[in-house]
């Protein structure tokens, strides 16, 4: 039997909560009744790439960092 470590359980729990948060966000009221929100969960491996993309978009759009 393979052992299950606390870190793995913690990551699974965070993922389960994140999924519920996405559902809650999707069902929340939107401005003017339009739903243009894009929702996603980024796992640990994708955080750095997402961060770099957001910085790139901020520079492109002139948003102070």
């Amino acid at each position: 039997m393979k052992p299950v470590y606390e870190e793995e359980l913690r990551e699974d729990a965070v993922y389960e909560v994140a999924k519920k948060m996405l559902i809650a966000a999707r069902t929340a009221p939107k401005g003017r009744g339009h739903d243009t929100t894009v929702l996603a969960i980024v796992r640990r491996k994708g955080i750095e790439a997402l961060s770099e993309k957001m910085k790139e978009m901020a520079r492109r759009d002139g948003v102070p960092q």
Side-chain angles (χ1 to χ4, degrees):
M1 180 177 194
K2 178 185 171 210
V4 179
Y5 295 98
E6 179 268 338
E7 183 177 346
E8 184 180 337
L9 292 175
R10 187 171 1 112
E11 287 182 17
D12 290 346
V14 168
Y15 182 63
E16 290 303 315
V17 170
K19 290 191 304 185
K20 291 175 182 179
M21 290 172 69
L22 259 61
I23 298 301
R26 174 62 60 212
T27 59
K30 309 296 184 285
R32 298 183 185 162
H34 297 277
D35 186 358
T36 59
T37 307
V38 176
L39 306 170
I41 297 172
V42 178
R43 292 201 183 235
R44 188 174 297 214
K45 293 177 182 178
I47 291 173
E48 190 173 328
L50 176 62
S51 174
E52 290 304 315
K53 183 63 176 179
M54 292 175 71
K55 289 175 186 176
E56 175 190 318
M57 292 169 66
R59 285 190 296 274
R60 178 195 70 201
D61 297 343
V63 176
Q65 296 183 36

